Amino acid sequence: MSALPLPTILLNLHNAATAAGRPDPRLLAVSKTQPAAAVAALAAQGQRAFGENYVQEAVAKIEALRALGLEWHLIGHLQSNKAELAAQQFDWVQSVDRPKLVAALAAHRPAALAPLNVLIQVNIDDEDSKHGCRPEAVPALAAAIAAQPRLQLRGLMAIPAPWPDPARRQQALARMYGLFQALAVAHPQVDTLSMGMSGDYPEAIAQGATMVRIGTALFGARARPA
Ligand SMILES: *Cc1c(COP(=O)(O)O)cnc(C)c1O
């Protein structure tokens, strides 16, 4: 997959949303494995939100680009021993999937910063290989997050399985939308459903994604796997 210019991606998002009768989703530019210079180049075109998978790799870029005032999202699995650094450096953590992480992030969010925005990652296809909580675990985890003043519950994130059958992919995305709607009833501040990547973002937007996470389609194929 070769890279598309940012305006083309934004137009694609807009067209997919319009076709589905939905508002435009936010674009998270996934910059894992990309150098800080590539992030700066996209920021110069107006992109503000960037997603990273690895805390250490991200921190180097966050510190190098501090003056740009970008918004950084952690989208990769977070080990508990990295929670302190993540709470200090990121604006959002999209991969919260267990109570221990809730407590660790809340304990370490610096008082000088705004509350840390948090998404609950759901393992929607119940894959052994994937992180994320089971759908049934969302209400209790959401209540635990909402009880923490240093955390702000914003919604849900998923990485649905890339089933060859489009109907099966659509079912997983629709189940996520159902969970998101139920969560927003219990927690009215919830506004974010993060799903859709380079290969499936039009489908995710059609099913109600409010944020898509796009790497390859923006930056081109990654030199190393991440
Ligand atoms: C790498 C990654 C993406 C972006 O994937 P692309 O296929 O390159 O667009 C999105 N979300 C997560 C969680 C990722 O790890």
Side-chain angles (χ1 to χ4, degrees):
M1 191 184 290
S2 55
L4 295 172
L6 178 62
T8 305
I9 296 279
L10 292 173
L11 185 61
N12 289 350
L13 302 188
H14 175 71
N15 288 341
T18 304
R22 299 184 188 277
D24 284 16
R26 286 193 77 196
L27 171 61
L28 184 70
V30 176
S31 48
K32 64 184 172 202
T33 81
Q34 304 295 338
V39 173
L42 213 53
Q45 297 175 56
Q47 177 63 27
R48 305 314 300 165
F50 291 86
E52 290 281 339
N53 286 57
Y54 301 103
V55 175
Q56 247 106 356
E57 177 189 338
V59 166
K61 291 179 224 182
I62 293 170
E63 287 178 349
L65 300 173
R66 183 81 68 194
L68 300 182
L70 302 175
E71 181 183 295
W72 292 94
H73 294 230
L74 181 65
I75 60 174
H77 175 67
L78 179 57
Q79 292 169 285
S80 297
N81 63 3
K82 301 265 171 59
E84 177 171 3
L85 192 53
Q88 292 165 346
Q89 296 283 345
F90 284 88
D91 302 293
W92 293 59
V93 174
Q94 299 203 5
S95 50
V96 173
D97 61 0
R98 56 199 192 279
K100 189 180 174 191
L101 213 44
V102 173
L105 289 169
H108 294 295
R109 181 65 171 174
L113 299 180
L116 180 67
N117 295 293
V118 165
L119 300 183
I120 297 172
Q121 182 178 352
V122 181
N123 186 352
I124 193 64
D125 289 301
D126 198 15
E127 296 173 278
D128 290 343
S129 60
K130 291 265 171 74
H131 296 289
C133 72
R134 297 178 59 85
E136 306 78 55
V138 168
L141 205 47
I145 294 164
Q148 294 286 356
R150 300 306 297 141
L151 304 180
Q152 176 77 7
L153 177 66
R154 298 295 294 268
L156 301 177
M157 183 271 248
I159 311 170
W163 305 114
D165 175 10
R168 201 162 172 198
R169 293 200 301 273
Q170 184 181 327
Q171 283 162 17
L173 295 165
R175 285 200 306 278
M176 280 304 301
Y177 190 68
L179 290 174
F180 171 64
Q181 284 185 304
L183 185 66
V185 170
H187 301 276
Q189 79 278 17
V190 159
D191 60 2
T192 303
L193 177 57
S194 169
M195 59 185 192
M197 319 199 326
S198 293
D200 69 345
Y201 67 86
E203 297 165 65
I205 293 167
Q207 297 302 322
T210 72
M211 181 185 289
V212 293
R213 309 179 306 266
I214 297 184
T216 312
L218 264 177
F219 292 103
R222 285 179 285 275
R224 60 178 170 83

